[in-house]
């Protein structure tokens, strides 16, 4: 060893020192450092695992949120559709009710107008009778039998004489309904007589309706189905005019 220039005692001392340093380092440095590094590695691994779990949870939460949002949107759309449909239905009902109300008011107004018209025409009939009698008396210069004159005027306006409707007295007519038109409103008694005589002609099961048309001047027009029996003064004047041409 000495030939190689190595001092054995010095070498042993160095080896011993190195061994002591190694033991000290291993016991007090390498062990804690290795443990610290292992703990850090475990923490990093745990952190990565936690991050993965958190990412999975976030992805799952996002999917769940998207699902909830989608369901909420569908529900909202359904509610909007139902609300729109209900609103449209309510609007249609309101419009229909308004139309019915307007039509009813219109019908009531027309009925009131017709009722007032009939009342005025009924009053006019009495006035016309009084004027006609007064004019006749003035024309002939003497008093007339007012009762007889009123009876003649009643026949003129009602077309009824001795309980018979003159215009259909010699007619053969049948049907399920009849419309009787007079120049002025007939009294209840006159309507009863007309209805009785017409039903005897067309059948007791038929229906009778009455209307007023001042343009026919007097007499009656009886319409049964498509057949019209014209006994009005206006019709007679028209026939007379045609015969003179």
């Amino acid at each position: 060893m000495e030939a190689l220039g190595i001092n054995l005692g010095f070498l042993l001392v160095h080896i011993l020192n190195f061994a002591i340093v190694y033991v000290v380092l291993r016991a007090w440095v390498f062990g804690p450092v290795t443990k610290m590094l292992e703990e850090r590695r475990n923490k990093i691994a745990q952190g990565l695992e936690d991050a993965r779990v958190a990412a999975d949870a976030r992805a799952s939460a996002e999917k769940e949120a998207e699902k909830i949002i989608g369901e909420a949107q569908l529900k909202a759309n359904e509610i909007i559709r139902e609300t729109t449909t209900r609103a449209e239905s309510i609007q249609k009902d309101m419009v229909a009710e308004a139309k019915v109300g307007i039509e009813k008011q219109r019908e009531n107004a027309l009925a009131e107008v017709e009722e007032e018209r009939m009342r005025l025409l009924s009053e006019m009939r009495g006035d016309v009778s009084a004027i006609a009698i007064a004019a006749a008396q003035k024309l002939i210069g003497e008093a007339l039998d007012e009762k007889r004159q009123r009876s003649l005027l009643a026949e003129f306006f009602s077309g009824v004489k001795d309980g018979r409707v003159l215009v259909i007295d010699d007619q053969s007519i049948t049907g399920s309904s009849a419309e009787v038109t007079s120049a002025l409103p007939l009294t209840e008694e006159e309507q009863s007589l007309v209805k009785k005589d017409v039903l005897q002609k067309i059948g007791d099961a038929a229906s009778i309706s009455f209307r007023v048309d001042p343009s026919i001047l007097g007499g009656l027009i009886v319409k049964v189905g498509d057949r019209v029996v014209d006994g009005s003064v206006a019709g007679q004047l028209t026939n007379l005019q045609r015969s003179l041409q």
Side-chain angles (χ1 to χ4, degrees):
M1 295 292 289
E2 293 180 357
L4 294 175
I6 299 174
N7 188 332
L8 181 59
F10 186 75
L11 178 61
L12 291 174
V13 171
H14 278 288
I15 292 172
L16 181 60
N17 290 334
F18 180 78
I20 293 171
V21 170
Y22 174 77
V23 171
V24 171
L25 289 176
R26 180 178 179 81
W28 299 97
V29 177
F30 293 157
V33 169
T34 302
K35 184 178 179 182
M36 181 184 67
L37 292 175
E38 182 65 22
E39 291 177 353
R40 183 178 294 275
R41 185 181 67 79
N42 291 335
K43 288 182 178 179
I44 292 173
Q46 185 63 43
L48 292 174
E49 180 65 19
D50 292 343
R52 185 187 65 78
V53 172
D56 291 343
R58 183 177 64 183
S60 177
E62 289 177 351
K63 290 181 180 179
E64 187 67 22
E66 290 177 357
K67 181 180 178 181
I68 294 173
I69 292 172
E71 292 177 352
Q73 186 65 42
L74 291 175
K75 187 65 176 179
N77 292 337
E78 183 180 353
I79 293 173
I80 291 172
R81 284 195 300 270
E82 291 179 354
T83 303
T84 302
T85 302
R86 191 178 299 112
E88 290 176 352
S89 177
I90 293 173
Q91 182 180 9
K92 289 180 180 179
D93 292 342
M94 291 176 64
V95 171
E97 290 178 0
K99 287 182 178 179
V100 171
I102 292 172
E103 184 62 24
K104 187 174 182 180
Q105 291 179 358
R106 177 177 174 275
E107 291 175 356
N108 291 338
L110 291 176
E112 291 177 359
V113 170
E114 181 64 18
E115 183 179 351
E116 181 64 15
R117 173 175 172 269
M118 296 297 288
R119 186 185 67 79
L120 293 175
L121 289 175
S122 297
E123 292 178 355
M124 184 184 296
R125 176 172 172 174
D127 295 339
V128 169
S129 298
I131 293 172
I133 293 173
Q137 289 177 346
K138 186 174 182 180
L139 181 64
I140 65 177
E142 62 181 41
L144 300 175
D145 184 348
E146 185 172 342
K147 184 176 181 180
R148 173 60 180 166
Q149 294 303 311
R150 290 191 177 277
S151 177
L152 292 173
L153 287 170
E155 291 177 8
F156 173 80
F157 285 119
S158 68
V160 178
K161 183 177 182 179
D162 299 329
R164 304 179 66 84
V165 180
L166 300 176
V167 68
I168 63 170
D169 197 23
D170 57 349
Q171 300 288 328
S172 177
I173 54 176
T174 58
S176 60
S177 63
E179 181 184 75
V180 180
T181 302
S182 60
L184 294 175
L186 301 179
T187 64
E188 291 184 2
E189 181 181 358
E190 290 169 344
Q191 286 189 8
S192 178
L193 292 173
V194 170
K195 186 175 182 178
K196 180 180 179 181
D197 198 25
V198 172
L199 289 178
Q200 287 179 350
K201 289 284 186 181
I202 66 175
D204 294 337
S207 59
I208 308 294
S209 61
F210 294 89
R211 64 185 294 266
V212 175
D213 183 3
S215 66
I216 71 173
L217 302 179
L220 296 177
I221 297 176
V222 179
K223 181 180 179 182
V224 181
D226 295 332
R227 184 177 179 185
V228 177
V229 183
D230 190 348
S232 67
V233 174
Q236 294 175 16
L237 291 176
T238 300
N239 292 334
L240 178 60
Q241 183 180 11
R242 289 174 180 172
S243 66
L244 293 177
Q245 291 178 349

